[in-house]
Amino acid sequence: MTAQQKVDALMMLKGKQRITALTAYDYPMARLLDEAEIDILLVGDSLGMVVLGFPDTTHVTMEHMLHHIAAVARTQPRALILGDLPIHSYNSPSEAAKSALRLREAGAEAVKLEGGINEAEKIKAIIDAGIPVIGHIGMLPQHVLEERGYRKKGKNESSAQSLIDDAQALEKAGVCAIVLESIIADVAMRITSAIGVPTIGIGCGDATCDGEVAVITDLLGSYPWFVPPFAKPEAQLAPQIIAAARAFRARIQHSLTQ
Ligand code: KIV
């Protein structure tokens, strides 16, 4: 399937079947998640924290993204490969299009960028360059330092209305879906019914959006040092990894050299 066919198929799911998206940053995980028939493999800039050990996503560079997108793309998945545009890579419409083209060359089939109405011209420039775009509104991790933390959005009517305006502006600019992050459940539902493209939620409550995205380490319980309050782990890999490494250590230390 071409990237555009994958995008068209995803857009058709709105109102019919919920979309599933998980982050993947390397080849083996991308292969396993594709085997599980996840719809979107997001090479997210959460990479900065859960793989590269930075405190937040503001340290992620274009080179980091290209390296990990290429690893995921080598799996040639059935899923759509979505790459995050890192901070400072889309300061103007022409820079946004140029950066998106670099992500596409590395293997991304669509790109995601953070922000509302102010990003509309950049989104149009990327789409004009032939690359599908997914928007991202609500809590914006690339703004965590200005905002001094990860805060819930849409708590009062004026912020709820501006999120709805943002979503409608992104739809008008041509996005094929929008990630809603940490938005009050009722506002996430209002946004979902106010636009014709799918919404994909994270931290917005259960079944408030047309789909759900999760950071893979939150799902697997493999990054125990920071677990967001909305995470719903399906496994606890961290203790299993430590136990396996301890078993290896014990086996090697207790066996004599021949
Ligand atoms: O980078 C990422 O993992 C993301 C998700 C939080 C949606 O953008």
Side-chain angles (χ1 to χ4, degrees), residues 46-203:
S46 50
L47 162 76
M49 287 109 88
V50 303
V51 175
L52 301 178
F54 291 119
D56 52 59
T57 63
T58 66
H59 300 261
V60 176
T61 65
M62 199 64 187
E63 280 59 41
H64 293 142
M65 293 308 302
L66 295 171
H67 183 73
H68 288 270
I69 287 170
V72 168
R74 276 181 212 112
T75 64
Q76 301 185 358
R78 181 204 49 85
L80 180 77
I81 306 171
L82 174 62
D84 261 347
L85 279 166
I87 190 165
H88 307 313
S89 73
Y90 55 101
N91 291 323
S92 66
S94 62
E95 190 185 26
K98 216 166 118 195
S99 299
L101 283 165
R102 288 183 73 196
L103 296 194
R104 185 171 67 182
E105 265 166 43
E109 296 171 304
V111 301
K112 175 165 80 60
L113 58 80
E114 294 184 8
I117 206 154
N118 294 337
E119 308 305 309
E121 290 309 311
K122 299 172 194 171
I123 290 168
K124 284 185 201 155
I126 300 171
I127 294 169
D128 286 347
I131 302 167
V133 179
I134 292 188
H136 183 153
I137 61 172
M139 199 287 134
L140 305 179
Q142 291 176 4
H143 293 248
V144 67
L145 300 178
E146 296 108 272
E147 300 210 354
R148 302 207 191 135
Y150 297 91
R151 296 179 201 289
K152 204 91 182 166
K153 299 291 169 176
K155 283 186 175 166
N156 55 49
E157 187 48 35
S158 81
S159 76
Q161 192 52 55
S162 77
L163 286 166
I164 295 170
D165 295 344
D166 279 337
Q168 288 175 328
L170 294 193
E171 178 177 23
K172 204 164 158 216
V175 297
C176 55
I178 306 179
V179 167
L180 307 186
E181 178 161 356
S182 293
I183 293 175
I184 298 288
D186 153 62
V187 180
M189 286 193 275
R190 281 169 65 191
I191 296 170
T192 300
S193 25
I195 58 175
V197 297
T199 56
I200 303 174
I202 177 163

Side-chain angles (χ1 to χ4, degrees), residues 185-257:
D186 153 62
V187 180
M189 286 193 275
R190 281 169 65 191
I191 296 170
T192 300
S193 25
I195 58 175
V197 297
T199 56
I200 303 174
I202 177 163
C204 297
D206 291 338
T208 58
C209 295
D210 298 305
E212 191 79 17
V213 56
V215 172
I216 190 63
T217 49
D218 293 342
L219 184 75
L220 299 181
S222 58
Y223 191 87
W225 309 280
F226 174 75
V227 182
F230 52 78
K232 292 207 171 109
E234 296 287 353
Q236 286 299 341
L237 293 194
Q240 290 192 34
I241 292 169
I242 296 168
R246 285 217 167 102
F248 171 77
R249 180 169 168 263
R251 174 162 55 82
I252 300 310
Q253 288 184 340
H254 296 141
S255 56
L256 292 174
T257 309

